[in-house]
Amino acid sequence: RRAAELDPDDEIAARRWIALLDRAGDRSQAFAVYDRFREHMAEEFGVRPSAETVALLDTVRTRRNPTSQLQVDSPDANLSSGVAPLATLSATQPANAQTHGQAASILPESPSVQPPRKARWLIASAGVLATTLLVAAAIRRTPNAEGGPGAKSTSVAAARTLVVLPMENETGNRNQDYIAAGLAEGIARRLTGMGGLTIRSGARSEWPAATQHDFKTIGNEFGTKVLLRTRMTQAGDSFEVRTSVVNAQNSGERMIAPLKFKVGGLHNLESELAAAVAGEIFRVPMPVTPRARERAVNPESYRLMLEAWHQMTPLQNFAEAKRLFERATELDPLNSRAWAGLSAVWSLKVSEESVPFDEGYDRGSAAAERALALDSLDGSAWTALGMMRALRYRNLAIGLESIRKAIAAEPGDPQIFVAQSSLYRTAWLWDQSRDAARVAHRLDPLNAYVRSREAYTELCAGNPDAALRLYDAELVMNPTDSLAVAGRIRALAMEGRYDDAIVAWRNLPSKPGDIVLASALREARGDSGYWKANRLVGRRQLDALKRKAGVGWISPLRLMQLQFQSGDTEGGYRALELLEREKDPALFRLRCMPALDVVRRSPRFEAIVKRIGPLPLH
């Protein structure tokens, strides 16, 4: 896989990949690889694959039993050499466990033909990376959710999907949350592609507390029957991770032997846990991890990297994340995930215009390229590169090319699809943006930010009624979702329902001492009252931004937005027209900026938006 991706013109490598997938029993992926190679050859050279490649695919297609020619040695011979089955380390054995080393699989029964046990062992032992088709948009739900007579008709997608739940930090120290989140994400990354599994990671998601242990609801939302639950506790001067594989239908848990570790052993622990989880699922030894073995990372660099990702997602403390990522790369310049995180931080700064565009692009793209030189399958780095390149070159296709590489590398990462949705919004391709947002939602249906992206797209497209329905549905499930509450207020105002928007705004928790705004909202009525309160917020934020001007760079884009929101309409138009002359790439997002709602329907603003237009497709 890696060789074919590094040199997509190499037909011999493509044939080797197809043949390996066929031997592993994954014919659908073999066909997908052929289709991608055929399209690549047609686009780049205007030719078709050679007769040898076509003949190989015909052989794959016509073979009645895709694994009939697979010859492997018995795994028992390897076990007798001292490699014990990881299943024997389990704290509890399933009630229906068989003898002679053939314990039952945790995966639900499926009517589909599965590779024989020997074939699965070969796939795991050889570390074959079976890339997974994106199934999020086409997951079929179980006809009988209660596991009754119809339960055996469960789709293959549900049976072969594993959801990694957020790790539960039971140390009593919230300062250790970043270790728990980072470990869970690391396990998910290592499991991706192993044995044909589709991994859905909720490692960094802030799921509602009421849903955390509602395994059946989580399984239904993700379209899966298998969940991975992890808990971290304090054990003297060390930590201990307790892991279990959960049957989402009946909440039955199969425990894996707990592992103790110190902070300096985080990197090795991820590898051990991923191998143990895979061994528990397939009930055979898993001596290798799915990704190529990495060099030993400096322990402190690794710890800093985990903490930085936690600061960025979900805490959104980008300044602290940047500091930690930079420190991690200083301690170990070969820490690829730290470079990828740094590229993500700079990409966000470019997107928000919290730094000058050229500076952010240069630093962000350099960090992404450094990460990809160390690990060409890092989806976060490809995503950051795509977001920045699309704006730099004013070309959607260039950005999407990097996003496609990110999806190919890590198809289970919802943040990649969130970024893809954002790019499509910048190009005013609302249907495509909506589709990408929905895929992200399917991948992480309990993450508030991910869920809000479809509704945000509807607001950008000028469909507040559709956005309102989405926000209302979200608030039924999670009434405290601040993104949904704020989005609902904006949608009501865009519909002209100002009094309803004011009532919803009054119900928002106010900051201590914010007496002026609370008083304005109590007296507010109709559109004039709504915009008066909005101007009050804008003036306060504008004053704070101007105070920063004396100590450093401030974003001219943000200044322009707050001028409009604070009521300085002429000042806002002057700033906007200056940004237009300077061809600021952020202006492609004008239709999505909430601070500009006050002038959104004015002819002057609409003329400027039309003149700037969307991000060009090519």
Side-chain angles (χ1 to χ4, degrees):
R1 171 184 172 181
R2 184 181 291 268
E5 289 176 344
L6 288 174
D7 188 358
D9 302 338
D10 187 344
E11 193 161 4
I12 294 176
R15 283 204 297 270
R16 180 63 173 156
W17 191 4
I18 292 170
L20 285 170
L21 287 168
D22 176 41
R23 289 177 59 195
D26 196 349
R27 290 199 293 179
S28 63
Q29 272 300 307
F31 296 148
V33 170
Y34 172 81
D35 288 340
R36 286 197 294 273
F37 179 75
R38 181 187 60 192
E39 292 171 2
H40 171 74
M41 296 299 286
E43 291 175 1
E44 294 294 325
F45 307 108
V47 299
R48 300 182 63 186
S50 68
E52 292 86 351
T53 305
V54 174
L56 172 63
L57 195 77
D58 288 340
T59 302
V60 175
R61 182 181 292 109
T62 56
R63 183 179 300 131
R64 296 185 63 184
N65 182 355
T67 60
S68 60
Q69 298 182 7
L70 185 60
Q71 300 294 327
V72 297
D73 295 329
S74 169
D76 296 333
N78 293 276
L79 300 184
S80 64
S81 65
V83 182
L86 290 173
T88 63
L89 300 177
S90 175
T92 60
Q93 293 292 343
N96 62 345
Q98 302 173 8
T99 58
H100 308 299
Q102 291 186 337
S105 170
I106 186 70
L107 291 173
E109 293 183 46
S110 171
S112 63
V113 177
Q114 298 293 337
R117 180 172 180 267
K118 292 181 179 180
R120 294 202 308 272
W121 181 87
L122 178 65
I123 296 167
S125 300
V128 175
L129 296 179
T131 57
T132 55
L133 289 173
L134 183 61
V135 297
I139 288 178
R140 292 179 295 164
R141 296 299 178 88
T142 306
N144 187 342
E146 298 299 324
K152 288 189 178 182
S153 62
T154 303
S155 69
V156 177
R160 307 295 293 182
T161 300
L162 174 71
V163 172
V164 178
L165 302 174
M167 184 175 288
E168 300 166 44
N169 177 11
E170 297 180 351
T171 65
N173 183 355
R174 297 273 65 87
N175 291 330
Q176 308 299 345
D177 283 351
Y178 77 92
I179 296 179
L183 274 175
E185 183 185 49
I187 294 168
R189 286 171 58 82
R190 288 175 177 273
L191 286 170
T192 297
M194 180 179 281
L197 280 175
T198 297
I199 303 298
R200 303 284 183 77
S201 175
R204 295 194 180 278
S205 300
E206 289 292 311
W207 291 354
T211 312
Q212 186 75 32
H213 297 135
D214 187 352
F215 300 132
K216 188 171 183 179
T217 296
I218 294 172
N220 289 339
E221 286 293 335
F222 281 93
T224 185
K225 294 180 178 299
V226 189
L227 313 175
L228 181 66
R229 183 184 183 191
T230 50
R231 285 156 287 182
M232 185 177 76
T233 60
Q234 194 85 38
D237 61 348
S238 302
F239 298 97
E240 184 174 87
V241 173
R242 297 180 178 274
T243 308
S244 57
V245 180
V246 181
N247 185 319
Q249 285 191 312
N250 58 25
S251 297
E253 294 189 51
R254 185 176 295 170
M255 302 299 298
I256 295 174
L259 291 173
K260 289 186 178 181
F261 69 98
K262 293 183 182 294
V263 173
L266 285 169
H267 191 257
N268 183 61
L269 178 70
E270 289 176 4
S271 175
E272 291 187 19
L273 281 172
V277 170
E280 187 64 27
I281 290 174
F282 292 108
R283 307 301 292 174
V284 294
M286 279 300 215
V288 296
T289 56
R291 296 170 84 91
R293 184 171 295 277
E294 302 169 356
R295 57 173 290 280
V297 177
N298 177 281
E300 178 61 10
S301 173
Y302 201 78
R303 187 197 69 77
L304 289 168
M305 177 269 293
L306 293 184
E307 185 177 359
W309 277 106
H310 184 68
Q311 289 292 332
M312 187 167 69
T313 307
L315 300 183
Q316 297 189 331
N317 186 348
F318 303 131
E320 180 63 7
K322 175 177 171 290
R323 185 188 70 81
L324 292 168
F325 280 132
E326 287 175 340
R327 180 60 182 148
T329 58
E330 289 169 2
L331 286 175
D332 190 343
L334 299 183
N335 186 340
S336 62
R337 282 298 289 163
W339 285 111
L342 193 57
S343 74
V345 170
W346 282 111
S347 176
L348 288 168
K349 286 179 171 291
V350 166
S351 177
E352 296 177 349
E353 282 223 340
S354 59
V355 295
F357 181 86
D358 288 341
E359 177 189 351
Y361 175 83
D362 290 344
R363 295 194 179 191
S365 59
E369 289 165 359
R370 184 68 176 269
L372 293 170
L374 295 166
D375 181 0
S376 63
L377 298 181
D378 193 296
S380 302
W382 279 119
T383 301
L385 205 57
M387 295 295 290
M388 292 183 291
R389 283 179 172 174
L391 294 178
R392 161 55 66 88
Y393 299 108
R394 300 171 177 269
N395 187 314
L396 176 67
I398 288 177
L400 290 180
E401 179 60 29
S402 292
I403 296 292
R404 279 191 287 269
K405 291 178 180 179
I407 293 172
E410 300 188 54
D413 186 349
Q415 295 303 325
I416 298 174
F417 293 93
V418 169
Q420 186 183 48
S421 177
S422 176
L423 273 185
Y424 279 130
R425 279 198 302 272
T426 307
W428 301 2
L429 297 175
W430 312 121
D431 287 342
Q432 292 91 326
S433 177
R434 190 181 297 111
D435 290 346
R438 287 173 177 171
V439 171
H441 177 206
R442 294 291 304 194
L443 290 172
D444 194 355
L446 301 177
N447 185 310
Y449 178 77
V450 171
R451 290 194 308 268
S452 72
R453 295 303 86 190
E454 182 182 351
Y456 186 70
T457 295
E458 297 291 3
L459 292 178
C460 296
N463 301 321
D465 54 336
L468 191 58
R469 288 194 296 271
L470 290 166
Y471 286 130
D472 284 342
E474 165 60 16
L475 289 170
V476 169
M477 184 172 73
N478 186 8
T480 61
D481 184 346
S482 59
L483 286 172
V485 172
R488 183 174 183 273
I489 293 170
R490 186 184 174 202
L492 288 168
M494 290 178 69
E495 278 200 322
R497 297 168 56 183
Y498 292 105
D499 286 333
D500 290 337
I502 291 168
V503 171
W505 197 349
R506 287 173 187 158
N507 293 332
L508 274 178
S510 58
K511 295 180 180 179
D514 201 348
I515 300 174
V516 177
L517 178 60
S519 176
L521 287 172
R522 280 196 302 271
E523 299 173 0
R525 299 291 184 276
D527 59 343
S528 61
Y530 176 85
W531 292 118
K532 180 180 179 180
N534 202 277
R535 286 194 297 273
L536 180 62
V537 174
R539 282 197 297 272
R540 184 176 301 169
Q541 294 179 353
L542 180 61
D543 290 341
L545 185 67
K546 287 180 176 179
R547 285 195 294 270
K548 292 182 180 179
V551 295
W553 183 86
I554 63 171
S555 166
L557 182 78
R558 182 61 179 156
L559 181 63
M560 175 271 293
Q561 294 179 72
L562 291 177
Q563 284 177 304
F564 277 116
Q565 186 177 350
S566 66
D568 183 8
T569 304
E570 283 305 314
Y573 276 123
R574 286 194 299 272
L576 176 55
E577 288 162 355
L578 176 61
L579 290 169
E580 182 186 1
R581 289 194 296 272
E582 294 176 348
K583 299 186 181 300
D584 191 310
L587 293 186
F588 293 128
R589 297 197 299 270
L590 276 180
R591 291 185 62 168
C592 292
M593 296 175 182
L596 304 183
D597 285 351
V598 65
V599 294
R600 190 167 306 283
R601 296 179 182 177
S602 68
R604 184 177 177 183
F605 181 78
E606 289 180 343
I608 294 175
V609 170
K610 184 177 181 180
R611 195 161 60 236
I612 294 170
L615 178 69
L617 302 184
H618 300 287

